[in-house]
Amino acid sequence: MEKKTKVVVVGGTGYLGQHLLQAFAEDRYDVAFTHHACPLPGLLLDAFPHFPSFHVDLKTGLGFHSISHHFGQPDVVVNCAALSVPRVCEQDPDSALSINVPSSLVNWLSSSFQTKHKTLLIHLSTDQVYEGVKSFYKEEDETLAVNVYGKSKVAAELLIRDKCQNFVILRSSIIFGPQTLSPLPKNLPVQWMDSVLQKGDTVDFFHDEYRCPIYVTDLVIIILRLIDRWVLSDDKQMRLVLNAGGPDRLSRVQMAEVVAQVRGHDLSLIKHVSASSVDRGVVSPADISMDITKLIQTLDISPTSFKDGVRLTLQSESRSHILS
């Protein structure tokens, strides 16, 4: 019988984590996931009854030993856990650093397992490691973050490069797509734009901040391809940094316009404002669009356009409303 690939998803209850767990539901993976909030949502437990879950505190590392004992050494660890709201990071930089710089995770991987069986760490970073003063950043460009969130993610990258033998760092842009099985309390970008435009009131959107939003299914496919490549490789050596964005460089105004076009909302409701006109309690980089040539060439993928991703997202929302 073919040996299953053992995968641990750190931060399995978050947005990307839940979408990953759904993708891992097929038989060739042996999966465990970590969570921080207690108790676990019942919907998640019902959806993945065969996936063991472990309560882990990333600040202290409490809980990792339990994974070693009950699940064993993973082939791959995917770290999706983060304090990812920039304003919150600004207010509590100590928590941002202790959660976003995965010292306890890296220590666990380097001290708990035999080195002849190697584990790959796939770590989710962010486009906010870039300063935001030009367009289409490449992976080798300098990382010069302008806020606490970005700086904590730069520190995480430096730690992983220094301490981990094998890793992939994915610098993800805004992730968008359908709601998760166990719905999250935070606003999802496309769904929020759709709901505010549906009300018929004018809404302010920034015209001068640019990102390359990535459809969540594409990010899941990227991770699955990296895992397959790792499992099939003989020499088990991988040290990769990849920009993980979609193919379109867009401002918030342009994103809202796409949502309005797909849904048939009134475009005149979208009011263009400068990012500098709003105090968000955090400095935000102006243009952190990314060059994704390396991603496309390395993994032979063609990421979904923002418009197609919006269509798929809103179709999925419509289906889930009908089913519920």
Side-chain angles (χ1 to χ4, degrees):
M1 196 172 112
E2 193 181 344
K3 181 176 169 284
K4 289 185 180 182
T5 303
K6 288 175 87 77
V7 180
V8 172
V9 179
V10 177
T13 57
Y15 184 71
L16 177 59
Q18 288 195 45
H19 280 284
L20 267 176
L21 292 180
Q22 281 183 269
F24 285 135
E26 57 177 277
D27 270 354
R28 61 199 179 102
Y29 301 104
D30 189 5
V31 178
F33 66 96
T34 79
H35 60 96
H36 186 250
C38 280
L40 255 185
L43 284 168
L44 264 188
L45 289 170
D46 294 342
F48 309 112
H50 306 303
F51 292 176
S53 60
F54 296 90
H55 182 261
V56 170
D57 184 340
L58 284 176
K59 290 183 179 183
T60 62
L62 274 174
F64 279 125
H65 179 70
S66 185
I67 301 175
S68 312
H69 187 68
H70 295 287
F71 185 71
Q73 181 170 1
D75 298 296
V76 180
V77 172
V78 186
N79 182 27
C80 309
L83 194 59
S84 59
V85 180
R87 188 184 64 258
V88 174
C89 293
E90 218 64 29
Q91 292 162 350
D92 189 356
D94 290 345
S95 287
L97 282 166
S98 58
I99 293 169
N100 293 345
V101 182
S103 307
S104 61
L105 168 59
V106 168
N107 290 341
W108 171 62
L109 289 176
S110 59
S111 64
S112 302
F113 302 119
Q114 50 177 345
T115 48
K116 68 177 187 216
H117 180 94
K118 295 176 179 175
T119 297
L120 174 70
L121 173 61
I122 299 175
H123 174 78
L124 270 293
S125 188
T126 173
D127 53 3
Q128 294 210 38
V129 297
Y130 298 120
E131 187 180 6
V133 293
K134 66 171 197 165
S135 303
F136 299 114
Y137 279 88
K138 290 182 163 67
E139 288 84 354
E140 59 271 20
D141 284 332
E142 188 180 10
T143 51
L144 209 62
V146 298
N147 56 39
V148 170
Y149 172 59
K151 287 171 184 172
S152 71
K153 297 299 263 186
V154 170
E157 291 191 9
L158 291 171
L159 173 80
I160 289 164
R161 285 169 182 258
D162 184 42
K163 301 286 187 190
C164 295
Q165 273 191 307
N166 293 286
F167 62 82
V168 181
I169 291 166
L170 294 174
R171 291 177 178 160
S172 170
S173 186
I174 295 168
I175 306 170
F176 73 98
Q179 181 57 276
T180 44
L181 279 171
S182 177
L184 297 171
K186 69 175 184 178
N187 285 323
L188 300 178
V190 167
Q191 290 86 333
W192 178 80
M193 288 177 177
D194 180 40
S195 68
V196 294
L197 292 170
Q198 204 163 17
K199 290 173 184 167
D201 300 323
T202 59
V203 191
D204 292 351
F205 290 97
F206 301 141
H207 65 78
D208 51 359
E209 275 189 7
Y210 294 90
R211 311 284 290 274
C212 291
I214 183 166
Y215 186 51
V216 67
T217 306
D218 289 342
L219 196 47
V220 168
I221 289 167
I222 287 164
I223 292 166
L224 294 179
R225 291 213 177 161
L226 287 164
I227 291 171
D228 286 347
R229 178 172 288 205
W230 174 250
V231 170
L232 294 171
S233 71
D234 292 328
D235 62 352
K236 291 285 182 284
Q237 284 193 316
M238 197 180 285
R239 297 172 70 85
L240 257 182
V241 178
L242 293 172
N243 285 338
D248 304 301
R249 171 185 177 267
L250 298 167
S251 68
R252 294 298 201 289
V253 163
Q254 291 168 316
M255 292 179 210
E257 285 172 347
V258 170
V259 172
Q261 286 160 2
V262 168
R263 273 294 212 218
H265 299 313
D266 183 352
L267 285 169
S268 69
L269 298 174
I270 298 166
K271 190 177 165 197
H272 299 220
V273 300
S274 171
S276 61
S277 68
V278 179
D279 180 8
R280 286 173 281 172
V282 60
V283 177
S284 200
D287 186 347
I288 43 177
S289 56
M290 298 186 292
D291 183 324
I292 57 167
T293 307
K294 186 177 172 187
L295 175 80
I296 292 166
Q297 290 176 348
T298 304
L299 298 176
D300 190 26
I301 68 157
S302 55
T304 307
S305 72
F306 185 68
K307 190 165 194 173
D308 287 344
V310 166
R311 280 202 191 98
L312 291 164
T313 299
L314 296 174
Q315 281 167 10
S316 169
E317 295 297 314
S318 300
R319 278 198 303 274
S320 63
H321 285 314
I322 290 165
L323 291 171
S324 59

